[in-house]
Each structure stands twice: as C-alpha cells, then as structure tokens.
C-alpha cells in the first residue's frame, strides 16, 4: 500500500482457513507477521478446538527465520509456494487431530 491507513498501516496480510474464515490484518511493518500469525493461531485453535497443522505461504522473506522456527516448534508444517501462481499472501489449513 502506498497510502497509510489512519492507524499508520502500510501492509496487510490475509489468513484463510479451510473452514470458512477470511481474516485480514493491517501491519505497520513487515516484522509484525509472526506476532499477527500467533494471534490468528490462538483465535482459530480456541474457536475450533483443533490444532493448526499446516500453513502455506509465499516465498517472502517475512516467512523465513523466526516464522519458520516458530512453526517447527509448534509442530506446524510450513509449505511455501510461488506467489505469482496464487492471488493470496497466506493460506492456513486446519486439520483434525
């Protein structure tokens, strides 16, 4: 986004789960991705009472390092794909235990 939101956001991230939800978060900086993902994970796991099993993301640098390590620690499979083939930034999948 070239124009900032009223709250100062310049970026956004979308999370789409397989069970019908689309959530959009506005970010001031890209480094907020991991914190926002943790909020999303907490929300989804509380509402569904199921553990997040897989997250699919583009190959952007924001999903490397700490994000990847967090997924490993949580037992979440992190799949990366070529963003030019898909129209969304992040796609999460929740599976039954």
């Amino acid at each position: 986004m070239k124009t900032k939101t009223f709250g100062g956001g310049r970026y956004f991230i979308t999370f789409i789960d397989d069970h019908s939800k689309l959530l959009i978060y506005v970010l001031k900086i890209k480094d907020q991705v991991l914190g926002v993902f943790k909020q999303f994970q907490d929300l989804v796991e509380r509402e569904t009472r199921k553990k997040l099993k897989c997250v699919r993301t583009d190959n952007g640098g924001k999903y490397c390092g700490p994000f990847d390590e967090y997924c490993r620690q949580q037992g979440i499979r992190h799949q990366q794909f070529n963003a030019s083939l898909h129209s969304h930034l992040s796609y999460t999948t929740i599976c039954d235990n």
Side-chain angles (χ1 to χ4, degrees), residues 10-46:
R10 297 193 71 167
Y11 307 97
F12 69 91
I13 187 168
T14 58
F15 294 108
I16 306 165
D17 78 50
D18 283 351
H19 297 286
S20 75
K21 286 203 170 131
L22 167 66
L23 294 171
I24 300 172
Y25 293 86
V26 178
L27 312 172
K28 290 183 180 180
I29 57 174
K30 290 182 180 181
D31 289 346
Q32 293 177 290
V33 167
L34 180 57
V36 168
F37 175 74
K38 289 177 180 180
Q39 291 174 14
F40 172 77
Q41 177 188 10
D42 183 54
L43 174 73
V44 169
E45 289 181 354
R46 257 187 299 112

Side-chain angles (χ1 to χ4, degrees), residues 54-96:
C54 179
V55 61
R56 292 185 194 114
T57 64
D58 64 24
N59 286 320
K62 58 197 168 285
Y63 299 114
C64 298
F67 184 90
D68 213 24
E69 180 60 29
Y70 177 78
C71 288
R72 266 194 296 282
Q73 291 172 353
Q74 295 291 307
I76 300 170
R77 188 175 56 229
H78 182 197
Q79 299 176 341
Q80 295 179 308
F81 62 85
N82 184 340
S84 65
L85 301 177
H86 301 279
S87 62
H88 52 273
L89 293 177
S90 298
Y91 181 84
T92 60
T93 303
I94 299 174
C95 306
D96 292 342

